[in-house]
Amino acid sequence: MAKRKMTNPLALAVLATIREQPRHPYEIAQVLRSRGKEHSIKINYGSLYTVVQSLERHGFIEASGTERDGRRPERTLYSVTEAGSAELLDWLAELVTDPVKEYPRFESALSLIGVFPPDQAMELLERRVAEQDARIADQREELAAVLAMGVPRIFLVESEYSLAMRVAENDWTRQLLKQMADGSLEGMDGWRQYHATGEAPREWQELEARNQQE
């Protein structure tokens, strides 16, 4: 896989937006905002001009004219070049087809959750479940409202995906909490022992020693 000249997903969104028709940066920002792209792509509208400049520097877009709105200063319109169109299609195809290892914050936190005593960890997880439940309810309501407006589902698939991931994560967390509460999660006794005595169980120490030898 060749290293890309740009990796910021905002650049991908800009390319896709300009490929539809020539646009100036302010209009690009308006279009992305109106389509709710900030929910699926981290968008810093203050840096959008920098992204546009970088795309132009790499030859992916080019100035193709100007536009004036009333007494406002002229704005430069940008169009996608042949190289930019090829980059857009190849980059997007890669994102769609190639599963890559990502590092979600929650996954990182779970890898270190043993820092807390079990009861405190359970309390924190319960708080997360409650917060996610509220967000899931809000997201379902927003999605239903947009669908009721007649917006085709093809324009909402990223929102459906986000909702499905939240629901799946919360279902998994609830199951984890159940296993922690009833003691069926393997290692719970050792976890409690560690926080009660400050010393890891012997079997944990032996496992760590074997892993270090491998």
Side-chain angles (χ1 to χ4, degrees), residues 4 36 46 48 64-65 70 76-77 83 86 89-90 94 105 114 122 128 141 154 167 171 179 182 198 200 203:
R4 298 200 177 276
L48 189 142
S64 59
T76 301
L77 295 170
L89 297 176
D90 186 63
E94 177 188 311
R105 288 172 30 144
M122 291 173 65
R128 181 183 181 90
E141 185 176 335
I154 185 60
V167 171
D171 288 344
Q179 294 170 347
D182 64 21
E203 58 269 25

Side-chain angles (χ1 to χ4, degrees), residues 21-194:
Q21 65 181 61
R23 289 190 166 102
H24 52 72
Y26 182 73
E27 184 183 5
I28 295 169
Q30 287 182 311
V31 170
L32 293 177
R33 186 181 293 112
S34 69
R35 295 177 180 176
K37 295 305 179 185
E38 70 274 11
H39 298 303
S40 52
I41 298 173
K42 187 175 182 180
I43 299 176
N44 182 342
Y45 290 103
S47 67
L48 189 142
Y49 285 87
T50 302
V51 169
V52 168
Q53 290 171 356
S54 184
L55 284 168
E56 184 179 24
R57 186 171 64 252
H58 289 302
F60 294 143
I61 63 174
E62 62 185 3
S64 59
T66 59
E67 181 178 275
R68 184 187 294 275
D69 183 8
R71 296 184 177 180
R72 295 179 180 275
E74 284 188 342
R75 293 186 171 120
T76 301
L77 295 170
Y78 291 94
S79 299
V80 173
T81 63
E82 185 176 341
S85 185
E87 178 71 6
L88 167 64
L89 297 176
D90 186 63
W91 187 359
L92 188 56
E94 177 188 311
L95 292 178
V96 171
T97 59
D98 296 345
V100 298
K101 173 59 182 174
E102 298 179 272
Y103 296 88
R105 288 172 30 144
F106 185 44
E107 183 178 339
S108 299
L110 286 171
S111 73
L112 301 170
I113 202 167
V115 167
F116 295 113
D119 291 341
Q120 185 178 0
M122 291 173 65
E123 179 185 349
L124 294 170
L125 289 170
E126 287 166 354
R127 283 164 53 185
R128 181 183 181 90
V129 166
E131 175 63 25
Q132 281 285 55
D133 278 341
R135 295 190 183 193
I136 287 169
D138 289 344
Q139 196 169 352
R140 279 179 171 152
E141 185 176 335
E142 291 172 5
L143 190 57
V146 175
L147 286 169
M149 293 168 57
V151 177
R153 279 188 59 209
I154 185 60
F155 296 120
L156 301 170
V157 289
E158 73 272 26
S159 296
E160 291 186 0
Y161 170 80
S162 172
L163 177 59
M165 292 302 99
R166 270 196 172 141
V167 171
E169 179 202 286
N170 237 25
D171 288 344
W172 180 89
T173 306
R174 279 194 171 90
Q175 182 63 22
L176 176 65
L177 279 166
K178 179 179 180 298
Q179 294 170 347
M180 292 171 71
D182 64 21
S184 61
L185 179 64
E186 186 177 359
M188 283 297 294
D189 290 341
W191 189 0
R192 291 190 183 281
Q193 177 185 324
Y194 169 73

